């Protein structure tokens, strides 16, 4: 059996990533509050860096096929920080989708194995949309 032990650094990184997603969500709920969105972005990026390491993070963001996503994500982050949260979140969302587009098939397989969500995602009207 394979053991998936996590170091304390990875646990902290996953926590920071989770808090980053939470703060970003709350920033959107509170009508694009730029403080919450900026805090969510900082926590998300620092959490990803702690989870996978600095070298892997730099390699991921600086890959040639991820260049468009990286630029739009960080330009969106800049717009959030200077006070244009709606435009910044649109750019960040586009960058996030482009950066993590390679993970969507893995995520779909994972969701199909979750008891209730798996049944829902295996329905014909959902499968045709994917």
């Amino acid at each position: 059996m394979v053991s998936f032990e996590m170091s304390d650094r990875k646990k902290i990184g996953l926590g920071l990533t989770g808090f980053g997603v939470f703060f970003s969500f709350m920033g959107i709920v509170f009508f694009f509050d730029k403080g919450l969105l900026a805090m969510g972005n900082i926590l998300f990026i620092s959490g990803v860096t702690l989870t996978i390491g600095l070298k892997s993070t730099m390699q991921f963001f600086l890959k040639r096929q991820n260049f468009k996503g990286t630029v739009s994500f960080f330009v969106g982050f800049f717009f959030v920080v200077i006070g244009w949260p709606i435009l910044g979140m649109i750019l960040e969302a586009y960058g996030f989708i482009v950066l993590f587009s390679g993970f969507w098939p893995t995520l779909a397989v994972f969701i199909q194995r979750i008891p209730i969500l798996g049944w829902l995602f295996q329905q014909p009207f959902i499968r045709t949309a994917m």
Side-chain angles (χ1 to χ4, degrees), residues 12-73:
I12 292 170
L14 287 174
L16 287 175
T17 303
F19 277 120
V21 170
F22 174 73
F23 273 79
S24 295
F25 174 74
M26 293 306 291
I28 292 170
V29 167
F30 289 126
F31 303 111
F32 294 96
D33 180 56
K34 69 178 179 177
L36 287 173
L37 291 172
M39 182 63 77
N41 288 334
I42 292 168
L43 289 172
F44 178 78
I45 291 173
S46 62
V48 168
T49 303
L50 280 175
T51 302
I52 65 174
L54 183 62
K55 183 178 178 183
S56 296
T57 303
M58 295 303 286
Q59 287 176 346
F60 175 73
F61 281 110
L62 298 177
K63 273 198 268 186
R64 187 159 178 80
Q65 66 260 25
N66 290 347
F67 183 70
K68 191 170 25 171
T70 300
V71 169
S72 83
F73 184 81

